Amino acid sequence: MRKLIVPVVGALALIMGASGGGGGVGDELATPVVAVAATSNCHPSYQPPSDQPCVPDGPDLDCPDIGYQVKVVGPDEYRLDADKDGWGCDSYA
C-alpha cells in the first residue's frame, strides 16, 4: 500500500491510499480521507450560538462588530462581558 500526503489549506493533509495488485479480491482503492486541523481563526474565549460564526481571533472587536450574544469561557480580552455574568454582548440576547 502506498500513501500520499499533500498539504491542504485549512487541513493537516489529504491522505489517499491504494493497494497494489492485479485486480483480485481485496485490491480495491481506498477512500480519500481528510484530516481537519484543530486550529482555526476563532477566539477560544468566546462561544457563539450554534447558528452564528465564531468570534475571530485578531484585532480587538466590540459587540456591534460581532452582532450577537456570546458565552465567555475564558479571559474576556475584547471586554464584551461588561457585567461579568459569563455572557458578552447582552444587548443582542
Side-chain angles (χ1 to χ4, degrees), residues 15-84:
I15 303 168
M16 295 182 67
S19 59
V25 176
D27 286 339
E28 63 278 349
L29 291 177
T31 304
V33 176
V34 176
V36 179
T39 61
S40 68
N41 290 331
C42 299
H43 196 293
S45 291
Y46 303 104
Q47 289 181 349
S50 61
D51 63 337
Q52 296 292 339
C54 70
V55 175
D57 189 7
D60 188 23
L61 297 173
D62 296 318
C63 289
D65 299 322
I66 298 169
Y68 49 86
Q69 186 180 38
V70 295
K71 183 172 183 175
V72 181
V73 296
D76 189 15
E77 295 176 21
Y78 295 160
R79 298 166 311 282
L80 303 177
D81 184 10
D83 60 4
K84 310 288 187 231

